Amino acid sequence: MAQCEQVLTPVDGVVARLRALDAALPARDGVAVFNRVYLAVTQAVDRRIDAGLFPDPRAVITLDVRFAERYLAAVDAAADGRRPPACWRPLFQFRRHPGVRPVQFALAGVNAHIGHDLALAVVDTCRTLGCEPADLEDEFEAVGELLLSLEERIHDELVPGPESLRIADPLTHLLGAWSLDRARDAAWTAARALWALRRLPDVAAEFTERLDTAVGFAGRMLLTPLPG
């Protein structure tokens, strides 16, 4: 009996690119720290797509790929000597700083990707599929639940144990000042606002620029060098 061939999806291409980055970057590199966490979650999305666990796989695949393309474009821009979006600049600027801890790199990447890229990816997906953000809400929530595992994975793998993470440790305050759940909610609001502004390109561009700048500022705070 002939074996069934696995049908590759565009998400498989994203996974391959993330794996290539993982293999190419030094383990302590700040971008590599985020990339490892993001790769694990993207693989989880890919497995659920293959298992048929999403009601509308085409919408999920499109959203996931448009989302990843934003991060990969920032990586390409930095590699080519071009300026990535403001939300990503702190991570690329501080990626080798010895005073920044791995958990900070991971959070700064998640902040940029959720706080800025996710809203734009929803709009990109709506344009690609010819739909409204409301039509993607179920898919947004489904992917969002997987994104929440980013936070769990970061805490499991990168946050110091309770014996070293003291109440007075500045890292304790940084970890408590940012929430992926709140960032995801804000991304959905921003996506709806950008969609509503799509016929006002000047206003939409200004909104996007302000969002990019604000998320970049938060990322710079998350990457504040800390004493060892």
Side-chain angles (χ1 to χ4, degrees):
M1 181 183 295
Q3 291 185 343
C4 294
E5 294 185 0
Q6 181 182 7
V7 177
L8 298 180
T9 72
V11 179
D12 293 301
V14 171
V15 169
R17 179 72 196 283
L18 295 176
R19 283 176 175 161
L21 283 172
D22 185 51
L25 295 173
R28 183 62 177 79
D29 183 289
V31 177
V33 173
F34 167 73
N35 191 82
R36 283 194 296 274
V37 176
Y38 189 42
L39 170 59
V41 174
T42 304
Q43 287 173 317
V45 173
D46 199 26
R47 287 192 295 270
R48 292 200 180 193
I49 291 169
D50 291 342
L53 298 180
F54 292 114
D56 188 345
R58 179 169 176 254
V60 168
I61 289 170
T62 305
L63 177 59
D64 193 65
V65 171
R66 294 291 178 267
F67 188 34
E69 285 172 348
R70 294 272 170 182
Y71 160 59
L72 295 173
V75 170
D76 290 341
D80 294 343
R82 295 178 284 114
R83 282 165 65 87
C87 62
W88 285 105
R89 281 177 214 154
L91 181 59
F92 288 104
Q93 290 168 352
F94 285 81
R95 63 193 296 180
R96 298 180 183 88
H97 197 295
V100 178
R101 304 184 197 181
V103 64
Q104 293 175 259
F105 290 131
L107 287 179
V110 174
N111 170 70
H113 204 36
I114 305 294
H116 173 267
D117 293 353
L118 184 53
L120 274 62
V122 170
V123 174
D124 292 342
T125 301
C126 288
R127 287 175 173 152
T128 299
L129 300 180
C131 66
E132 302 274 334
D135 300 322
L136 295 176
E137 190 165 7
D138 289 345
E139 287 69 33
F140 182 92
E141 290 298 326
V143 173
E145 289 302 315
L146 283 172
L147 291 174
L148 288 178
S149 67
L150 279 168
E151 204 162 42
E152 296 172 7
R153 193 174 188 92
I154 288 168
H155 278 267
D156 289 346
E157 296 185 6
L158 300 175
V159 175
E163 68 281 355
S164 59
L165 193 59
R166 298 178 299 276
I167 192 68
D169 191 327
L171 183 58
T172 304
H173 297 280
L174 277 178
L175 294 177
W178 192 87
S179 163
L180 190 149
D181 201 26
R182 290 196 299 268
R184 187 187 61 163
D185 290 344
W188 180 246
T189 300
R192 293 177 62 211
L194 281 169
W195 187 252
L197 293 171
R198 66 191 183 282
R199 294 186 180 86
L200 299 171
D202 292 344
V203 180
E206 183 177 348
F207 182 96
T208 303
E209 182 179 358
R210 298 292 176 86
L211 177 66
D212 190 22
T213 300
V215 173
F217 180 76
R220 175 63 184 84
M221 296 299 101
L222 287 169
L223 292 171
T224 300
L226 302 174

